[in-house]
């Protein structure tokens, strides 16, 4: 879809020709034009791409390289159709149909007892307040804006692990969940998006509105990118980074016998102390950690076994649209100058240009 990225946000080309201050009507008309515009392709063109909707974004990207905006639109349609087919197929073979139901229910038996009265239910039940949720969960404050609490019963984690294992065994093609984790599963692509929508509405959004009330996006989290990633002993340490989200929920699904691999937190991207160590969260099956997306963090190496985690990147359409059009600064901007020497644990090989310089500067005498 020309001008719209894979997370369904409008890029710069969407606004071409609309002027500095377009009206809502003009924006709506452009959206309709983008979504439903004519596709002047001849029959040979249509036959060439008919039925080639796939699961991955790579195909849509290759289509868009052949032609201009109209082909981008066709590529997006093919990609979306392919993903819907995958979801429909998976719903027929799911180990637990309740997880992938189009109109799901957060079942009480999936949640720890303290949260059942407040979180269990369907999309029609009004969400509880963030303050009530924090109090009921007895959330542990790890640092400013970082809390940990028990969320899911082990049985729910087992159900989700079984779905991830079944999908992996099917050898179906996968998009990587993000640019950092090449392995894993985007759970929205196997039919769990409605359930994650419900988790966002009934838990993450109310908590974020309470914990991050000073943030411009606090009360407007309305969609998500959700995925499962695996960490293994020797080789799956996750470099320090910040997320492409406004707020992130990280839930340990576990595997029997894993040890180590804490979730290490440093300062916030754009802040003067963004490379200072602030906390480490220990993982336990069903335990969740909630933090701002710009909070830098990384996964320490496991000392044994394997661990899977469910990650929900919660996002705000209103905030992102305002930032994209220049009405508000993007998350983490403007950046503040760094005031203190960074902690070694908070350096990022992938994201810090001075990584090697800092490592050499802080190396003990005789090393490096």
């Amino acid at each position: 879809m020309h001008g719209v990225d894979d997370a369904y946000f409008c890029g710069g080309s969407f606004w071409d020709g609309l002027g500095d201050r377009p009206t809502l009507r003009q924006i709506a008309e452009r959206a309709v034009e983008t979504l439903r515009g004519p596709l002047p392709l001849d029959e040979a063109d249509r036959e060439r791409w008919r039925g080639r909707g796939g699961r991955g974004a790579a195909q849509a990207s290759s289509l868009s390289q052949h032609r201009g905006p109209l082909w981008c639109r066709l590529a997006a349609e093919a990609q979306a159709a392919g993903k819907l087919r995958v979801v429909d197929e998976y719903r027929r073979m799911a180990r637990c149909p309740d997880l992938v139901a189009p109109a799901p229910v957060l079942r009480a038996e999936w949640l720890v007892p303290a949260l059942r009265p407040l979180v269990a239910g369907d999309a029609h039940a009004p969400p509880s307040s963030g303050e009530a949720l924090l109090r009921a969960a007895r959330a542990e404050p790890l640092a400013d804006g970082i809390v940990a609490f028990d969320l899911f019963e082990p049985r729910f984690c087992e159900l989700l692990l079984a779905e991830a294992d079944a999908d992996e065994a099917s050898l179906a093609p996968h998009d990587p969940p993000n640019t950092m984790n090449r392995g894993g599963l985007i759970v929205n692509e196997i039919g769990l998006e409605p359930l994650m929508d419900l988790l966002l509405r009934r838990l993450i959004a109310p908590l974020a509105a309470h914990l991050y009330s000073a943030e411009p996006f606090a009360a407007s989290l309305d969609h998500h990118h959700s995925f499962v990633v695996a960490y293994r002993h020797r080789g799956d340490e996750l470099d320090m980074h910040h997320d492409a989200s406004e707020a992130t929920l990280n839930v340990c699904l576990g595997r029997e016998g894993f040890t180590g691999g804490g979730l290490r937190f440093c300062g916030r991207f754009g802040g003067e102390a963004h490379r200072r160590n602030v906390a480490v969260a220990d993982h336990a099956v069903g335990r969740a950690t909630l933090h701002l997306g710009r909070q830098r963090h990384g996964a320490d190496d496991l000392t044994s076994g394997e661990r899977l985690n469910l990650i929900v990147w919660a996002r705000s359409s209103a905030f992102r649209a305002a930032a994209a059009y220049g009405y508000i600064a993007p998350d983490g901007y403007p950046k503040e100058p760094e005031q203190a020497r960074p902690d070694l644990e908070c350096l990022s090989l992938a994201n810090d240009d001075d990584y090697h310089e800092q490592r050499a500067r802080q190396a003990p005498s005789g090393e490096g």
Side-chain angles (χ1 to χ4, degrees):
M1 190 179 302
H2 185 53
V4 180
D5 69 15
D6 62 0
Y8 313 111
F9 291 106
C10 299
S13 59
F14 179 88
W15 306 99
D16 290 348
L18 290 181
D20 292 336
R21 292 185 176 276
T23 65
L24 287 175
R25 182 181 181 85
Q26 288 172 320
I27 294 172
E29 289 173 346
R30 176 59 58 86
V32 171
E33 177 188 352
T34 300
L35 292 168
R36 300 177 59 188
L39 296 173
L41 306 171
D42 60 31
E43 188 56 33
D45 283 335
R46 292 183 182 279
E47 187 62 33
R48 180 182 181 192
W49 301 115
R50 182 173 290 137
R52 296 185 65 177
R55 185 173 187 173
Q59 177 175 325
S61 176
S62 66
L63 276 169
S64 65
Q65 292 170 4
H66 285 83
R67 301 284 179 92
L70 296 175
W71 278 75
C72 291
R73 188 181 303 123
L74 182 61
E77 290 177 356
Q79 181 188 16
K83 288 186 175 183
L84 287 174
R85 284 197 296 272
V86 170
V87 168
D88 288 340
E89 291 169 4
Y90 195 88
R91 281 182 171 141
R92 288 193 289 270
M93 59 174 277
R95 299 306 196 260
C96 178
D98 287 344
L99 290 178
V100 296
V105 175
L106 272 169
R107 299 197 173 281
E109 62 266 27
W110 294 346
L111 302 160
V112 296
L115 289 175
R116 289 173 185 173
L118 301 179
V119 180
D122 59 19
H124 301 291
S128 301
S129 71
E131 184 178 9
L133 288 165
L134 280 177
R135 186 168 54 248
R138 298 183 180 178
E140 175 189 3
L142 302 178
D144 183 28
I146 307 171
V147 296
F149 54 94
D150 293 330
L151 175 57
F152 291 128
E153 290 283 8
R155 177 56 182 158
F156 175 83
C157 299
E158 292 168 3
L159 291 173
L160 199 51
L161 287 175
E163 298 296 349
D165 290 342
D167 185 78
E168 183 177 13
S170 74
L171 302 180
H174 291 275
D175 284 339
N178 52 60
T179 58
M180 300 166 294
N181 302 98
R182 306 314 296 174
L185 170 67
I186 301 175
V187 298
N188 293 359
E189 294 189 349
I190 62 167
L192 273 84
E193 185 171 8
L195 184 63
M196 296 298 107
D197 289 342
L198 197 55
L199 186 64
L200 173 64
R201 170 181 166 80
R202 298 194 57 72
L203 178 78
I204 302 171
L207 284 175
H210 177 69
L211 285 170
Y212 313 127
S213 58
E215 299 288 343
F217 50 75
S220 61
L221 298 179
D222 59 2
H223 68 287
H224 59 89
H225 175 61
S226 301
F227 51 95
V228 170
V229 290
Y231 301 95
R232 298 175 179 85
H233 177 45
R234 300 187 186 280
D236 280 319
E237 181 178 355
L238 184 61
D239 197 12
M240 195 62 58
H241 64 282
H242 67 279
D243 293 337
S245 69
E246 278 66 80
T248 295
L249 183 77
N250 184 325
V251 187
C252 175
L253 302 178
R255 283 282 198 212
E256 186 176 351
F258 81 87
T259 58
L263 179 59
R264 182 175 300 277
F265 288 99
C266 297
R268 295 173 182 174
F269 171 75
E272 63 179 31
H274 69 285
R275 296 194 292 184
R276 300 290 292 178
N277 202 15
V278 298
V280 177
D282 294 324
H283 289 291
V285 173
R287 190 161 178 82
T289 306
L290 181 69
H291 59 87
L292 287 170
R294 70 175 184 273
Q295 192 86 46
R296 279 175 53 118
H297 58 283
D300 292 343
D301 194 13
L302 287 169
T303 54
S304 65
E306 178 187 40
R307 187 190 73 242
L308 276 74
N309 285 59
L310 169 67
I311 314 294
V312 182
W313 283 356
R315 294 164 167 171
S316 164
S317 299
F319 172 75
R320 292 185 167 222
Y325 208 53
Y327 287 107
I328 193 170
D331 206 15
Y333 289 89
K335 292 184 179 180
E336 300 172 352
E338 194 168 27
Q339 297 295 324
R341 187 174 69 175
D343 293 326
L344 288 175
E345 301 93 334
C346 294
L347 294 175
S348 170
L349 178 61
N351 300 305
D352 293 344
D353 293 337
D354 63 345
Y355 174 85
H356 294 292
E357 176 187 343
Q358 291 290 345
R359 296 284 300 184
R361 183 180 299 172
Q362 298 191 45
S365 179
E367 294 186 15

